């Protein structure tokens, strides 16, 4: 099977967006508790993380994370 590409974005207030746009994030999901969010928090540039098994999909995930910041930080 071909690997699936997905993007999950997390906000500093705990909001999240998952693309492609199918549902699947539980209401209590807080991206700030994920390895990929912590990987990018407070850092510039892209950062590769250690592979892990995603709790929701049970699939192997290889995270790459990059923080996006407003000009004022």
């Amino acid at each position: 099977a071909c690997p699936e590409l997905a993007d999950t974005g997390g906000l500093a207030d705990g909001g999240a967006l998952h693309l492609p746009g199918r549902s699947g994030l539980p209401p209590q999901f807080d991206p700030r508790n994920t390895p990929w969010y912590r990987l990018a928090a407070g850092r510039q540039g892209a950062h590769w993380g250690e592979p892990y098994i995603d709790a929701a999909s049970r699939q192997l995930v290889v995270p790459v994370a990059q923080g996006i910041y407003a000009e004022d930080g």
Side-chain angles (χ1 to χ4, degrees):
C2 186
E4 179 180 319
L5 296 178
D7 182 24
T8 304
L11 303 175
D13 68 1
L17 173 67
H18 182 74
L19 300 170
R22 59 181 186 269
S23 63
L25 297 175
Q28 70 275 15
F29 179 78
D30 187 335
R32 298 170 294 186
N33 297 325
T34 65
W36 52 263
Y37 187 95
R38 291 189 303 267
L39 188 61
R43 300 170 75 188
Q44 298 294 322
H47 304 277
W48 289 92
E50 294 294 321
Y52 66 94
I53 301 297
D54 180 68
S57 70
R58 306 269 192 245
Q59 298 293 313
L60 180 66
V61 173
V62 180
V64 61
Q66 180 170 347
I68 301 172
Y69 303 96
E71 287 183 22
D72 62 358

